[in-house]
Amino acid sequence: MKRVHKDGSAQITEKKSRFIGDVYNIENEEDALYYINETKKKYWDARHHCYAYIIGNNNEIKRFSDDGEPSGKPILDVLDKSGIANCLIIVTRYFGGTLLGTGGLIRAYSEAAKSGIEASGIMEVKKGIQAQIDADYNSFGKIQYMCMERNIIITDTEYGENVHINMIIEESEYAHFQKAVADAFAGRLEIVKNDNV
């Protein structure tokens, strides 16, 4: 599933009208309503606050609002095409005095939405397994190298009599890594699964 990396904001100008694209990670409709209300307070003097959001891995919830402009649906289209879930895009417009026409408005709102997504960054969210290995100090360097080679994230390392290594392994790679560790250390080291993440 794709998600935005962080909340972000970008601005474009079209014929003196200013369009601000704010993008938020959301988990539910309450989050969406909160950010919509906060944005309306922040840009209280703006003419329009159009938005769209998608919630759920399979796009269970999709909503948009035109706020009097032909623009909510184009924002939703940008979100749909990006494949991003659990995301809200609000585009705020400050009117610059020149009418843009329907086509011009659709382009400007779409561009502001895309710019907001670019400012937020996109990440791929995958299922993972939180696990641990207890290794002696001689084995620690090899474990680190094996993790780096396979893009396994070491989240914490505790040094005591042995080295206690906490890690997150992509679910699809877990069995392969388990076998690689067993082979590399002739069964002396064992990966202990803690939780799904």
Side-chain angles (χ1 to χ4, degrees):
M1 165 176 67
K2 288 183 184 176
R3 293 193 66 166
V4 290
H5 180 62
K6 62 184 190 307
D7 295 345
S9 185
Q11 181 176 295
I12 67 160
T13 304
E14 186 71 33
K15 294 184 181 174
K16 297 183 183 175
S17 281
R18 202 160 47 108
F19 296 84
I20 304 164
D22 289 312
V23 178
Y24 300 98
N25 259 315
I26 57 172
E27 297 302 324
N28 50 50
E29 288 195 278
E30 289 77 26
D31 289 350
L33 294 174
Y34 170 79
Y35 286 120
I36 291 163
N37 287 330
E38 289 301 304
T39 300
K40 286 179 178 180
K41 286 179 199 171
K42 181 178 178 181
Y43 305 117
W44 59 271
D45 55 341
R47 260 208 149 144
H48 301 281
H49 306 280
C50 305
Y51 64 83
Y53 59 87
I54 295 177
I55 300 171
N57 295 341
N58 299 312
N59 301 335
E60 287 91 349
I61 300 171
K62 289 184 179 185
R63 305 263 189 275
F64 70 88
S65 169
D66 286 334
D67 197 25
E69 301 263 80
S71 52
K73 182 71 168 80
I75 297 169
L76 183 63
D77 290 343
V78 167
L79 200 48
D80 252 338
K81 286 177 187 159
S82 71
I84 300 170
N86 290 24
C87 182
L88 162 68
I89 301 175
I90 306 167
V91 178
T92 301
R93 179 189 183 197
Y94 282 94
F95 184 58
T98 304
L99 296 175
L100 300 179
T102 302
L105 283 172
I106 289 171
R107 276 191 303 280
Y109 276 100
S110 297
E111 195 57 44
K114 288 176 193 170
S115 297
I117 290 172
E118 286 172 17
S120 302
I122 299 173
M123 64 180 178
E124 186 76 31
V125 178
K126 297 180 179 181
K127 290 183 179 181
I129 293 173
Q130 201 171 42
Q132 66 187 43
I133 297 176
D134 285 319
D136 57 61
Y137 282 85
N138 292 331
S139 304
F140 178 54
K142 189 168 186 175
I143 291 289
Q144 280 183 307
Y145 178 77
M146 290 174 74
C147 288
M148 184 186 71
E149 203 175 44
R150 291 170 173 78
N151 294 321
I152 292 170
I153 301 165
I154 295 177
T155 57
D156 186 36
T157 308
E158 297 169 20
Y159 302 93
E161 189 177 319
N162 284 317
V163 183
H164 182 79
I165 309 158
N166 291 306
M167 59 189 65
I168 297 176
I169 307 164
E170 191 177 323
E171 188 178 62
S172 61
E173 293 298 315
Y174 182 74
H176 300 294
F177 186 61
Q178 207 171 23
K179 183 178 181 335
V181 168
D183 291 348
F185 296 97
R188 288 185 299 111
L189 297 183
E190 182 184 352
I191 301 174
V192 178
K193 179 180 175 179
N194 290 335
D195 206 357
N196 292 329
V197 290

